[in-house]
Amino acid sequence: MIRLSAAVLAALPLWVAPGFAQDTGAFFTLVNTYAFVDAPREGERHLLRARRSFTVVDFTVDAEDVVWYWVVQPERRVKISGTGWVALDPHEINQLNGQPVLVFPEVIEEGMRPMAGREVPAADLVLANVTQPSGSVPEITWQKVTYETEVPGRVWVRSTTGIYRPFRSAQIVADVHAEMVTRSVDNDRQRRLLSGVVRVGDSPQEVTWALGDPTQREESTAEELNIMVWHYPGLQVRFENSVVKQIN
C-alpha cells in the first residue's frame, strides 16, 4: 500500500496520476525467449523461461508493428537513487518502516499537470532537512528526501512469445496455469483458456480458469435442465447442466 497523508489523499485526484506503480496486466511466456533491458531489441539481453507469468507495466509498438511488453523481472534487482519530495511528516516516515512511500520529482500543487510518483520503501528515505509548505493545502508540509534503493528489473519482451491478459494479475495467471497442469489439461486447451477464450462445451471450471469469477450468477430449472447464466463485463455465458451452451 502506498502511503500519503490524509490531506494529500483527499486532493490527489485533482493533482496526480501515479502511473509508475500501476499494473496493466500479465504476460505468460509460451517459449524460452530473450528480453531486452533498454528498449525493444536494444541493450542487455535476459532469458525469460517458458511458462512463467510476469506483471506488465507498459507496452510499445516498434517500426515493424510488433507489440512489445515492458514486464517486471522480480529476480533481477536494479539499484536506483535520486531526490524528490514526499507529503509526509518525519514522524510518519519513521513509523512506516519498509512500507512504500510515493516520492515525487517536485512539489505538487493544485492545477499542475499530472505527475507520476515513484514507490520507495520508507526505510530507504533520508530527509534532506529541506521543507516547503503547500500553497494549496495548508495541512501539508513537503519534505525533501534522497533515496537509494533496489527495485525489480524491467525488460521488454515480444508479444508473439506469449499470452497477454489485460487487467489480470501475474499471480492469478500463474495459479491458473499451475492448477491446469496438476489436472493434466492438454497444452492446446491450456493456451486457449489462459488467453481467455471460452467455447461451447466448456465446463464451469474451464470458464473460471479462462475468465475468473463472474460478477453475477443466475440459476434456474426448466424442463429437467439446470440453467446457469454467468455475467462478465460485456459477456454472458449460459450453461445447461453444467456445460456451456451459449456465449453472448
Side-chain angles (χ1 to χ4, degrees):
M1 177 180 180
I2 302 168
R3 294 298 179 135
L4 293 170
S5 71
V8 171
L9 285 173
L12 188 61
L14 298 175
W15 299 346
V16 183
F20 184 91
Q22 291 180 342
D23 304 335
T24 64
F27 185 78
F28 183 83
T29 53
L30 294 173
V31 297
N32 292 344
T33 186
Y34 281 108
F36 298 84
V37 171
D38 295 339
R41 299 190 181 93
E42 295 182 14
E44 185 179 349
R45 296 192 306 173
H46 287 264
L47 179 64
L48 302 185
R49 296 289 183 182
R51 296 176 295 281
R52 287 197 57 199
S53 187
F54 299 89
T55 296
V56 177
V57 292
D58 204 353
F59 72 94
T60 190
V61 181
D62 66 16
E64 299 175 7
D65 290 330
V66 175
V67 175
W68 292 75
Y69 295 110
W70 197 28
V71 303
V72 178
Q73 190 182 14
E75 65 274 17
R76 187 171 67 89
R77 308 297 293 181
V78 177
K79 286 187 176 181
I80 61 170
S81 60
T83 61
W85 296 85
V86 299
L88 294 172
D89 293 331
H91 74 275
E92 293 178 302
I93 296 173
N94 291 334
Q95 291 172 353
L96 292 177
N97 297 319
Q99 296 183 56
V101 174
L102 273 178
V103 180
F104 297 97
E106 58 185 282
V107 170
I108 299 172
E109 299 292 357
E110 188 172 3
M112 292 177 60
R113 71 187 187 283
M115 185 184 307
R118 166 168 286 176
E119 287 187 25
V120 178
D124 294 335
L125 298 177
V126 178
L127 291 170
N129 295 320
V130 178
T131 63
Q132 182 172 326
S134 170
S136 51
V137 182
E139 297 90 346
I140 297 175
T141 297
W142 290 86
Q143 310 285 331
K144 188 173 185 179
V145 296
T146 62
Y147 60 86
E148 183 174 319
T149 190
E150 287 190 347
V151 297
R154 299 181 180 192
V155 290
W156 291 94
V157 60
R158 285 175 298 172
S159 60
T160 53
T161 62
I163 296 168
Y164 172 59
R165 290 303 306 274
F167 312 117
R168 299 208 88 183
S169 74
Q171 187 60 58
I172 288 176
V173 173
D175 290 345
V176 167
H177 174 255
E179 188 173 354
M180 287 194 291
V181 169
T182 61
R183 299 199 187 189
S184 301
V185 178
D186 65 80
N187 288 335
D188 288 343
R189 190 174 293 264
Q190 283 185 35
R191 293 187 182 190
R192 174 172 69 82
L193 296 175
L194 285 171
S195 299
V197 177
V198 173
R199 292 179 180 169
V200 171
D202 283 347
S203 68
Q205 178 61 80
E206 289 169 324
V207 173
T208 301
W209 281 335
L211 302 177
D213 292 326
T215 57
Q216 181 182 348
R217 303 171 191 253
E218 299 176 12
E219 188 167 356
S220 60
T221 302
E223 298 180 357
E224 299 183 353
L225 286 178
N226 176 255
I227 299 171
M228 296 189 301
V229 179
W230 288 6
H231 297 262
Y232 295 90
L235 181 70
Q236 291 184 11
V237 181
R238 176 188 171 94
F239 299 88
E240 293 182 5
N241 293 336
S242 297
V243 176
V244 174
K245 290 296 184 182
Q246 189 173 354
I247 304 164
N248 295 325

